[in-house]
Amino acid sequence: MAETTGEEPPASPYFNKERMKHSPEEEARLERQHFWRIIDAFRFYRVHVQEQVKRAERQFLSLPERHQELLPDVLSNLAQISQCADHNQEILQGIVHNSLHMFENIEYGEREDPRKVGPSTTFDMDKLKSTIKQFVRDWSETGRAERDTCYLPIIQEIQRLFPDDQYDVSKVSVLIPGAGLGRLAWEIARLGYICQGNEWSFFMLFSSNFVLNRCETVNSLTLYPWIHQFSNNKKSSDQTRPIVFPDVNPQSLPLDADFSMVAGDFVEVYGEPESWDCVATCFFIDTAHNVIEYVETIWKILKPGGVWINLGPLLYHFENMANELSVELSYEDIRTAIVNIGFHIEVEKTSVQTTYTENDRSMLRYIYDCVFFVARKPANLYFNGREEEEEEEEEVYDDQQQSSPPAAKSPRREGTDCLT
């Protein structure tokens, strides 16, 4: 470690998380600009993939003719990739069509000049291709195994903590920050709990709105999520294999189900103290600029006796991004902060192996060795912002559970961007 000199460090560029607030008018302008940038990325998809295909064709045609003759199927496979991209674009156009007026309390107007739609950045196209793979994870039969390792432990824990023979589950409120395409939140609502998903990314919001509100027939739509992967394919057909979605009818929730999705930054949207019985985070806490801010927010919004369930790795999203605040903490450090803020960790598993939007036929596969824990905000009263430790650390979990107050329906925050 470098020695410290005791001198003040030189002034550095501000971090995005620390920027001063703009005027309301400027905030609205920037938000509108961001909205249309993501719409443009959806519309640019076909051109982007076709450019990749054309590059692959040029590379192949640059080979000696005798080498080309040894590979008779390459050009036809590239043509098929191009056709798959055309089909994907049709789905993406449907998503865009249903996204232009998707929010209840905000409109982004019309483009200043629709003719000025230009190429999207590599960053945005990578985000879009990742979003396409989210359909596999959340809404296809192919993604069932991955959902069983990521979502099922959380669902089972909610059912254990709030069993329907002891609670009126229709009054148990569960918040899912970083809800993605909404399957975890949907499954929890299907069981009768109040469940609200929260998501910041327009890529995810547009896509979840489409699948949750516009898809009714099981396995009626097709995507080709692997055509962007030109490496690590055992068979050419692996690259162009389809998936169908949705594997269930998203409209099949009970009529009395209390399920919603809210757009916005988790820390900014959720500030109402003691308003949720449970917060469940799955592959989420590493999206923070400062993960301790997430911990504080979860502590604040949980009711006394409420629980935080977490499963995921620590692949920090803003690491190595220029001008972005990113504090990369070990799980050990985060756990220390969780305990110091007042949580009681009741369940902890430090090695839960799972995948994330995995291509199960790829020659390169990533396994995440995740942490799973259940942390409870003590039910007893507190003062000066800290819990009174009236119970011994060794108290058995059953006694803690019995001391938890009955769940009550949480108030809904007004003014958030709810999806229609």
Side-chain angles (χ1 to χ4, degrees):
M1 178 178 291
E3 295 182 358
T4 56
T5 62
E7 300 175 356
E8 289 293 323
S12 60
Y14 57 74
F15 295 115
N16 282 348
K17 195 64 177 177
E18 299 173 341
R19 289 179 180 174
M20 294 180 63
K21 289 288 185 180
H22 298 286
S23 67
E25 294 79 11
E26 181 66 5
E27 287 283 355
R29 187 190 70 81
L30 292 172
E31 185 77 3
R32 184 167 60 251
Q33 185 181 71
H34 179 63
F35 175 90
W36 286 108
R37 195 190 90 209
I38 307 308
I39 292 290
D40 288 349
F42 276 77
R43 290 172 169 167
F44 186 68
Y45 169 82
R46 188 200 323 256
V47 174
H48 173 77
V49 178
Q50 299 291 13
E51 288 176 350
Q52 288 184 296
V53 171
K54 289 177 182 177
R55 176 186 176 278
E57 289 176 343
R58 289 195 302 269
Q59 297 284 356
F60 176 75
L61 293 174
S62 72
L63 297 178
E65 188 170 340
R66 68 182 186 277
H67 291 177
Q68 295 182 41
E69 292 173 353
L70 296 172
L71 301 164
D73 299 324
V74 170
L75 290 177
S76 61
N77 185 62
L78 290 173
Q80 188 173 357
I81 291 171
S82 183
Q83 293 172 4
C84 293
D86 290 343
H87 181 85
N88 284 355
Q89 185 67 68
E90 293 177 8
I91 301 293
L92 297 180
Q93 284 299 118
I95 293 172
V96 167
H97 176 74
N98 287 285
S99 299
L100 298 178
H101 306 287
M102 64 183 280
F103 297 107
E104 291 180 351
N105 57 349
I106 189 168
E107 286 287 337
Y108 289 100
E110 300 297 329
R111 290 192 61 88
E112 296 176 0
D113 187 348
R115 296 169 296 178
K116 290 185 178 180
V117 177
S120 294
T121 64
T122 299
F123 179 84
D124 283 344
M125 296 317 301
D126 286 345
K127 287 287 188 182
L128 178 56
K129 288 183 282 190
S130 176
T131 302
I132 291 173
K133 290 189 287 186
Q134 291 286 338
F135 281 91
V136 185
R137 174 180 171 87
D138 266 21
W139 295 103
S140 79
E141 182 63 29
T142 305
R144 176 187 292 274
E146 191 166 287
R147 290 195 300 273
D148 284 349
T149 59
C150 293
Y151 298 166
L152 194 57
I154 292 173
I155 293 169
Q156 290 174 336
E157 198 65 29
I158 290 172
Q159 291 179 298
R160 182 183 72 82
L161 293 164
F162 304 101
D164 58 11
D165 61 346
Q166 297 180 33
Y167 288 84
D168 179 356
V169 298
S170 68
K171 295 181 179 179
V172 177
S173 55
V174 182
L175 175 64
I176 311 293
L181 297 199
R183 182 60 178 266
L184 175 58
W186 185 90
E187 291 286 356
I188 294 168
R190 187 174 64 86
L191 295 172
Y193 299 91
I194 301 168
C195 195
Q196 185 170 96
N198 164 241
E199 182 56 58
W200 175 83
S201 165
F202 274 138
F203 288 102
M204 297 290 190
L205 289 166
F206 294 166
S207 299
S208 63
N209 175 62
F210 176 76
V211 72
L212 291 168
N213 295 317
R214 299 295 182 264
C215 296
E216 297 182 6
T217 306
V218 172
N219 291 335
S220 59
L221 298 172
T222 302
L223 278 171
Y224 298 89
W226 317 118
I227 60 172
H228 325 107
Q229 180 176 318
F230 284 83
S231 299
N232 290 308
N233 294 306
K234 289 183 179 179
K235 296 181 179 180
S236 297
S237 59
D238 291 343
Q239 190 175 3
T240 55
R241 74 188 189 280
I243 64 103
V244 291
F245 74 97
D247 64 317
V248 295
N249 177 7
Q251 305 294 316
S252 64
L253 286 177
L255 293 177
D256 60 350
D258 192 338
F259 171 52
S260 57
M261 292 283 287
V262 170
D265 182 277
F266 168 60
V267 172
E268 295 178 3
V269 170
Y270 295 95
E272 184 70 27
E274 300 181 0
S275 53
W276 296 91
D277 298 300
C278 176
V279 176
T281 52
C282 184
F283 277 72
F284 173 70
I285 64 173
D286 54 4
T287 66
H289 292 270
N290 169 14
V291 66
I292 305 305
E293 191 173 31
Y294 279 5
V295 177
E296 284 185 333
T297 300
I298 293 169
W299 171 268
K300 178 180 180 181
I301 66 177
L302 276 175
K303 301 174 185 177
V307 291
W308 172 20
I309 305 170
N310 175 77
L311 187 150
L314 293 173
L315 181 63
Y316 289 103
H317 284 211
F318 295 101
E319 184 178 4
N320 299 323
M321 290 183 64
N323 296 328
E324 292 284 357
L325 173 65
S326 182
V327 181
E328 296 91 26
L329 301 176
S330 68
Y331 173 64
E332 179 183 35
D333 291 333
I334 296 172
R335 188 189 191 283
T336 298
I338 290 171
V339 172
N340 285 342
I341 206 171
F343 281 105
H344 292 171
I345 295 180
E346 298 182 344
V347 177
E348 185 174 36
K349 300 176 183 177
T350 57
S351 183
V352 177
Q353 295 192 343
T354 185
T355 58
Y356 190 86
T357 63
E358 180 192 43
N359 179 354
D360 61 0
R361 296 189 191 177
S362 175
M363 298 169 71
L364 176 63
R365 300 166 70 178
Y366 291 99
I367 301 292
Y368 290 94
D369 198 27
C370 297
V371 168
F372 176 79
F373 64 76
V374 178
R376 185 180 295 275
K377 181 177 181 177
N380 44 297
L381 298 176
Y382 58 90
F383 64 97
N384 293 332
R386 300 304 297 270
E387 296 282 343
E388 288 186 296
E389 298 298 337
E390 296 179 356
E391 298 176 359
E392 294 296 326
E393 287 285 337
E394 296 81 10
E395 184 172 8
V396 295
Y397 168 69
D398 287 341
D399 291 338
Q400 291 177 337
Q401 187 178 29
Q402 290 170 6
S403 70
S404 300
K409 185 173 180 178
S410 64
R412 289 288 181 264
R413 176 185 172 93
E414 296 181 357
T416 54
D417 294 344
C418 287
L419 312 188
T420 56

